Amino acid sequence: MTDSNKPERHKKRMERHKEVVDSKIAQATTERGVVVVHTGNGKGKSTAGFGMAARALGHGMQVGIVQFIKGSFSTGEEAFFRRFPEVSYHVMGQGYTWDTQDLEKDIATAAKGWAQAKAFLEDEKVDLVVLDELNIALKYNYIAMQDILDALANRPAMQHVVITGRGARDELIAAADTVSEHKEIKHAFHAGVIAQKGVEL
């Protein structure tokens, strides 16, 4: 293939690709709220959830955030999102499970977090609900899986939900509309770098 043919071949490939994409877009006619799950062992699950919250704010939407598990330290996302009256932000965790080492306390804390989350999931004025680290609470059976599934199924029709945390259970994956798995390739922590503001905090 000569260099002179490259632009024309590229143009034809992109034309074919555009036809496929345009066809799929034309077939996507349903408008409703979606459930998005970010799971896996890699970094970026909560970051993705908070990115969706920022995107929703850009569209003038109301956002409800509940942080499970985390809560023993301040984060940049909490400081940022508390600036917005459109955001109702609730830190319900007592810290990571290896820090608390108190099963009964963890279960009670998760129950309080779920009560707030359920209130969001019943409120049609809340456009996006972020349930950060809910997967961890489900992994340890702090909250009944069926309660989550029922609340998701019965939420307002146009409400979007994003759920984060490693170890998402199969039932939740099956119920979700979009699921992304974050895979760790490298992490600075393994090289002895502590959590950094603006990156992990």
Side-chain angles (χ1 to χ4, degrees):
M1 181 177 62
T2 65
D3 288 344
S4 61
N5 290 333
K6 286 183 179 179
E8 185 60 31
R9 291 191 64 176
H10 174 78
K11 185 175 186 298
K12 288 181 178 179
R13 281 200 307 272
M14 292 304 103
E15 285 175 348
R16 290 194 297 269
H17 185 62
K18 185 178 187 312
E19 288 176 4
V20 173
V21 172
D22 287 348
S23 175
K24 290 181 178 179
I25 291 173
Q27 294 173 36
T29 58
T30 303
E31 188 172 0
R32 63 171 175 80
V34 295
V35 176
V36 178
V37 173
H38 286 279
T39 191
N41 294 330
K43 174 177 165 50
K45 299 177 290 294
S46 294
T47 305
F50 290 118
M52 289 181 63
R55 179 177 289 164
L57 286 174
H59 290 287
M61 300 165 75
Q62 297 291 316
V63 179
I65 298 173
V66 179
Q67 283 193 287
F68 295 82
I69 310 300
K70 296 174 183 175
S72 60
F73 53 86
S74 60
T75 61
E77 58 262 27
E78 179 184 356
F80 176 75
F81 283 110
R82 287 196 185 280
R83 301 175 187 174
F84 295 88
E86 302 95 330
V87 178
S88 181
Y89 199 114
H90 299 265
V91 180
M92 308 301 288
Q94 295 290 328
Y96 295 108
T97 53
W98 58 82
D99 288 325
T100 61
Q101 301 177 18
D102 188 331
L103 179 60
E104 291 185 1
K105 185 176 182 181
D106 287 342
I107 292 173
T109 301
K112 290 180 182 178
W114 174 238
Q116 178 58 64
K118 193 167 184 293
F120 284 148
L121 293 169
E122 294 172 349
D123 188 347
E124 63 182 14
K125 294 190 296 295
V126 179
D127 302 297
L128 173 69
V129 179
V130 179
L131 303 178
D132 184 44
E133 301 290 0
L134 175 62
N135 285 335
I136 302 299
L138 289 172
K139 176 182 177 182
Y140 290 112
N141 295 310
Y142 295 164
I143 306 168
M145 186 74 237
Q146 193 58 51
D147 289 349
I148 307 294
L149 297 177
D150 290 345
L152 292 175
N154 295 315
R155 74 189 194 281
M158 287 305 300
Q159 187 182 77
H160 306 297
V161 183
V162 57
I163 298 170
T164 74
R166 61 182 61 199
R169 287 174 52 178
D170 291 342
E171 303 97 314
L172 183 62
I173 290 173
D177 298 287
T178 301
V179 180
S180 293
E181 183 175 13
H182 297 239
K183 179 181 178 181
E184 180 178 309
I185 305 298
K186 291 178 69 175
H187 199 298
F189 176 73
H190 300 308
V193 180
I194 65 172
Q196 300 293 300
K197 288 182 178 179
V199 182
E200 286 88 15
L201 302 175

